[in-house]
């Protein structure tokens, strides 16, 4: 099995350390789920989630709750591995100077001090050293594939515990030679990134320090192996993830029937908003009743998804079906909020001093970079947006005046500068007309993006006023659309049952909706 394209990596498919065991448990049942992908209108895969169910709620046991939690953890891990190309496992590091870290250091140091005193004794004591080599042998063997018989036999022969113990009884054991063999074998098995660590091991003279560092490097090699396995599994996960996540979520629903409550409320809110909008624009009596069946499920669901980019992630719970992408959605929301402010600043700047900076594209780019730097972290509770906007206004005036002086023109008068700074500061107000306009245009753009079958191939035109953030908005829009489209594929059947109940009532549960939100 090639490792990183440079070495032959001799590794088991399932590593033996605790992190890899957790990973292997979550992946073990993956191939067992080969359920066929169902359409949005099929409700066979989500019958227990139907909001039309009139059965009384059953008592859920602790074991069932824990089973649902394990299913969610497995589903989340699989989703993260498949979606996040940069996903890797890392060793847990205890906080520096923490009590746990100090205790661990003291215990480990005591062990190595005892080992050193035993090896320096007359005659030397080798029992602890032999146990270390026995553990090292098992770790090295765990790296081998079933086909690595020659190296397996060699490791077992050289690190034969009984033979080493017999040699120790006759004071003929070569600890340094055994360590050198271990280091040489590690060099054959490790990833290229560990070559420097192997060289450092070879250059270390103290045998106790060598053994200590051998275990340190072996721990790193374990993580390398787990992450290589993850990388190898990713293409398979990506092909099977829709069916896998849907199956896992169905298991969660069977254990926790209320696992769609937040999702139902999320969709219901959009349904109510759309019905209210239709009733307000209706021109004939009774339009409210006739408008209810005319709501398209795709429209309702897309509007629900749009709410996720205006979500208060600190106070509101996400729908259960979006939990696995919660962190990604929050990050996109925070980035979008920053882009909205930058677009507002650009509109105000162009309206007040547009004639002054016209024909200077590099100047507009500079103002954009300044704004982006000062707005970094604007979603934190301690961030004072009004104060920062005032600072951006002052900085913008300074940059404009500098440009005017360089071209031999008089600087902006005090009234114009005060107007610019004041309008910048007013963006902080939620009912600010420019802010509302920019927000509506961004919502329009994202809504049109969700209607496209393949956003990456054909991006919709960017509305006016958003040119300054076009590049960033397109990248963000693609990431957002990918999350939404994948979510529709996985959870379409569950959304179908909810929408049938909300839009058509009990009688609509058996009907298939032609305009499926899973499209």
């Amino acid at each position: 099995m090639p490792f990183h394209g440079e070495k032959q990596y001799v590794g088991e498919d399932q590593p033996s350390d605790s992190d890899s065991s957790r990973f292997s448990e979550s992946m073990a049942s993956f191939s067992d789920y080969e359920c066929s992908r169902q359409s949005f209108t099929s409700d066979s895969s989500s019958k227990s989630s139907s909001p039309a169910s009139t059965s009384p709620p059953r008592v859920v046991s602790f074991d069932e709750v824990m089973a649902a939690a394990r299913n969610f953890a497995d589903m989340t891990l699989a989703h993260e591995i498949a979606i996040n190309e940069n996903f890797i496992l890392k060793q847990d590091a205890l906080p520096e100077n923490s009590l746990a870290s100090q205790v661990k250091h003291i215990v480990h140091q005591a062990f190595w001090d005892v080992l050193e005193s035993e090896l320096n004794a007359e005659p030397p004591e080798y029992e602890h050293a032999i146990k270390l080599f026995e553990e090292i042998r098992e770790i090295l063997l765990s790296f081998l594939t079933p086909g690595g018989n020659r190296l397996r036999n060699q490791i077992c022969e050289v690190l034969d515990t009984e033979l080493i113990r017999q040699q120790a009884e006759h004071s003929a054991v070569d600890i340094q030679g055994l360590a050198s063999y271990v280091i040489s074998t590690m060099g054959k098995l490790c990833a290229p990134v560990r070559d420097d660590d192997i060289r450092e091991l070879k250059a270390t003279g103290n045998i106790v320090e060598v053994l200590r560092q051998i275990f340190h490097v072996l721990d790193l090699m374990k993580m390398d192996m787990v992450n290589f396995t993850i990388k190898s599994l990713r293409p398979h996960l990506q092909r099977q993830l829709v069916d896998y996540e849907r199956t896992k979520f169905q298991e969660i629903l069977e254990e926790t029937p209320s696992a769609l409550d937040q999702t139902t409320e999320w969709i219901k809110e959009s349904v109510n908003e759309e019905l209210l909008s239709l009733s307000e624009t209706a021109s004939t009596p009774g339009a409210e009743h006739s408008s209810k069946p005319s709501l398209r499920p795709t429209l309702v669901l897309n509007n629900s998804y749009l709410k996720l980019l205006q979500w208060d992630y600190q106070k509101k719970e996400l729908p259960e079906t979006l939990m696995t992408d919660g962190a990604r959605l929050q990050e996109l929301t925070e980035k979008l909020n920053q882009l909205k402010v930058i677009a507002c600043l650009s509109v105000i700047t162009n309206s007040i001093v547009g004639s002054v900076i016209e024909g200077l594209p590099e100047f507009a780019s500079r103002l954009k970079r300044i704004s982006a730097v000062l707005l970094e972290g604007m979603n934190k509770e301690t961030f004072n947006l009004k104060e920062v906007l005032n600072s951006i206004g002052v900085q913008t005036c300074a940059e404009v005046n500098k440009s005017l002086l360089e071209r031999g023109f008089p600087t902006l008068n005090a009234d114009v500068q005060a107007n610019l700074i004041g309008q910048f500061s007013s963006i902080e107000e939620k009912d600010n007309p420019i802010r509302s306009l920019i927000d509506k245009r961004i919502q329009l753009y994202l809504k049109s993006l969700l209607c496209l079958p393949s956003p990456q191939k054909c991006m919709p035109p960017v509305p006016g006023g958003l040119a300054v953030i076009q590049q960033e908005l397109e990248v963000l829009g693609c990431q957002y659309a990918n999350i939404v489209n994948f979510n529709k594929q996985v959870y379409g059947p569950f959304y179908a049952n909810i929408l049938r109940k909300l839009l058509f009532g009990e009688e609509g549960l058996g009907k298939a909706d032609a305009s499926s939100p899973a499209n």
Side-chain angles (χ1 to χ4, degrees):
M1 184 185 295
F3 188 52
H4 292 185
E6 296 182 37
K7 285 191 175 184
Q8 186 73 17
Y9 187 79
V10 189
E12 298 284 356
D13 288 339
Q14 300 296 336
S16 60
D17 63 302
S18 61
D19 287 314
S20 60
S21 296
R22 186 171 68 252
F23 168 77
S24 62
E25 288 172 4
S26 64
M27 294 296 102
S29 61
F30 185 84
S31 59
D32 297 332
Y33 295 104
E34 296 296 336
C35 58
S36 60
R37 187 172 304 175
Q38 300 178 4
S39 69
F40 174 81
T41 55
S42 169
D43 63 301
S44 61
S45 68
S46 55
K47 283 185 179 180
S48 67
S49 68
S50 171
S53 176
T54 57
S55 302
R58 65 184 180 88
V59 177
V60 181
S61 69
F62 176 77
D63 288 340
E64 289 175 324
V65 171
M66 293 306 297
R70 284 192 296 271
N71 282 328
F72 183 76
D74 292 348
M75 184 177 67
T76 301
L77 180 59
H79 183 88
E80 189 67 25
I81 291 171
I83 300 300
N84 183 4
E85 294 183 357
N86 299 317
F87 177 86
I88 59 172
L89 289 178
K90 295 181 180 179
Q91 285 182 313
D92 292 333
L94 294 173
E96 193 174 355
N97 298 324
S98 66
L99 178 61
S101 176
Q102 292 176 17
V103 170
K104 179 180 178 181
H105 174 75
I106 291 171
V107 172
H108 283 200
Q109 188 61 47
F111 172 84
W112 295 113
D113 288 344
V114 170
L115 178 65
E116 186 171 23
S117 65
E118 289 182 348
L119 293 179
N120 290 333
E122 287 295 338
E125 291 287 339
Y126 293 110
E127 189 57 34
H128 277 92
I130 292 172
K131 290 181 179 179
L132 288 180
F133 280 112
E134 184 177 11
E135 187 174 346
I136 289 171
R137 181 192 66 190
E138 296 307 313
I139 295 173
L140 292 176
L141 292 176
S142 73
F143 290 149
L144 303 179
T145 60
N149 293 328
R150 187 176 66 82
L151 187 55
R152 184 185 300 274
N153 293 336
Q154 186 186 80
I155 292 172
C156 291
E157 182 180 338
V158 175
L159 300 180
D160 185 338
T161 304
E162 293 304 319
L163 177 61
I164 296 174
R165 190 168 277 113
Q166 291 174 15
Q167 292 173 341
E169 291 174 357
H170 298 85
S171 299
V173 64
D174 182 7
I175 296 293
Q176 191 69 52
L178 291 174
S180 297
Y181 171 76
V182 168
I183 295 171
S184 175
T185 305
M186 290 168 62
K188 297 175 183 177
L189 299 175
C190 71
V193 71
R194 301 298 163 208
D195 287 345
D196 288 342
D197 296 319
I198 299 299
R199 279 192 287 270
E200 289 181 13
L201 281 175
K202 291 178 179 178
T204 304
N206 184 288
I207 184 59
V208 174
E209 186 61 26
V210 168
L211 291 173
R212 184 207 292 258
Q213 292 305 316
I214 281 175
F215 276 94
H216 172 67
V217 176
L218 285 173
D219 285 341
L220 296 176
M221 289 172 62
K222 289 178 185 179
M223 297 310 299
D224 292 338
M225 184 178 190
V226 172
N227 287 320
F228 176 69
T229 305
I230 289 173
K231 184 178 180 181
S232 302
L233 280 175
R234 182 171 289 118
H236 177 68
L237 273 174
Q238 289 172 334
R239 289 193 298 269
Q240 305 294 332
L241 192 58
V242 170
D243 290 339
Y244 177 78
E245 285 200 31
R246 188 183 296 168
T247 302
K248 279 294 180 184
F249 193 78
Q250 181 64 52
E251 292 176 13
I252 292 172
L253 278 177
E254 291 169 359
E255 302 294 345
T256 313
S258 62
L260 276 173
D261 287 357
Q262 294 293 333
T263 303
T264 302
E265 289 301 313
W266 169 60
I267 296 177
K268 184 179 180 180
E269 187 178 341
S270 290
V271 170
N272 291 338
E273 288 178 0
E274 289 300 314
L275 290 175
L276 180 61
S277 176
L278 287 176
S279 65
E280 288 177 349
T281 57
S283 58
T284 57
E288 183 176 354
H289 298 286
S290 62
S291 65
K292 187 172 181 178
S294 69
L295 282 182
R296 296 181 61 239
T298 303
L299 175 65
V300 172
L301 196 53
N302 282 350
N303 287 343
S304 297
Y305 282 118
L306 288 172
K307 289 179 180 295
L308 299 173
L309 293 178
Q310 298 176 320
W311 204 264
D312 187 343
Y313 288 88
Q314 306 303 322
K315 299 178 181 178
K316 291 180 65 176
E317 290 187 35
L318 269 174
E320 297 89 347
T321 54
L322 272 304
M323 288 293 188
T324 51
D325 283 306
R328 269 178 287 271
L329 288 168
Q330 183 174 356
E331 184 180 346
L332 291 180
T333 300
E334 292 174 354
K335 180 62 178 176
L336 186 61
N337 289 337
Q338 185 188 59
L339 293 177
K340 287 178 182 178
V341 174
I342 292 175
C344 291
L345 295 173
S346 176
V347 170
I348 294 172
T349 303
N350 289 330
S351 66
I352 295 178
V353 295
S355 59
V356 175
I357 61 175
E358 187 177 1
L360 299 173
E362 70 285 350
F363 182 79
S365 299
R366 176 169 173 75
L367 291 181
K368 175 183 173 181
R369 287 195 300 272
I370 292 172
S371 301
V373 170
L374 293 177
L375 290 168
E376 196 67 37
M378 65 171 285
N379 294 282
K380 296 179 180 177
E381 290 185 4
T382 56
F383 190 86
N384 191 328
L385 180 57
K386 193 174 187 68
E387 183 179 312
V388 171
L389 289 172
N390 186 78
S391 299
I392 294 174
V394 172
Q395 185 69 28
T396 300
C397 289
E399 293 292 332
V400 172
N401 287 335
K402 179 183 176 182
S403 175
L404 288 170
L405 288 173
E406 288 174 352
R407 290 178 287 160
F409 296 111
T411 59
L412 300 175
N413 62 53
D415 290 341
V416 173
Q417 294 187 53
N419 184 25
L420 182 67
I421 295 172
Q423 290 205 38
F424 274 18
S425 299
S426 69
I427 294 173
E428 185 259 350
E429 302 167 4
K430 291 188 176 181
D431 59 349
N432 179 273
I434 296 177
R435 180 172 176 171
S436 299
L437 176 65
I438 292 297
D439 185 64
K440 288 179 181 178
R441 290 182 177 178
I442 288 178
Q443 290 286 308
L444 178 64
Y445 174 78
L446 293 174
K447 184 179 290 189
S448 62
L449 199 63
L450 294 184
C451 296
L452 296 176
S454 181
Q456 295 90 342
K457 296 180 181 179
C458 180
M459 299 295 294
V462 174
L466 305 182
V468 68
I469 59 170
Q470 178 173 347
Q471 184 177 358
E472 295 85 354
L473 190 59
E474 288 179 348
V475 172
L476 186 148
C478 278
Q479 294 172 344
Y480 168 69
N482 288 339
I483 292 174
V484 170
N485 290 334
F486 181 80
N487 186 266
K488 286 181 178 180
Q489 291 181 54
V490 175
Y491 299 103
F494 305 103
Y495 295 146
N497 284 337
I498 295 173
L499 285 164
R500 289 191 191 105
K501 167 63 177 177
L502 295 175
L503 296 180
F504 309 112
E506 299 286 341
E507 68 280 4
L509 285 173
K511 300 178 181 177
D513 182 61
S515 55
S516 165
N519 290 341

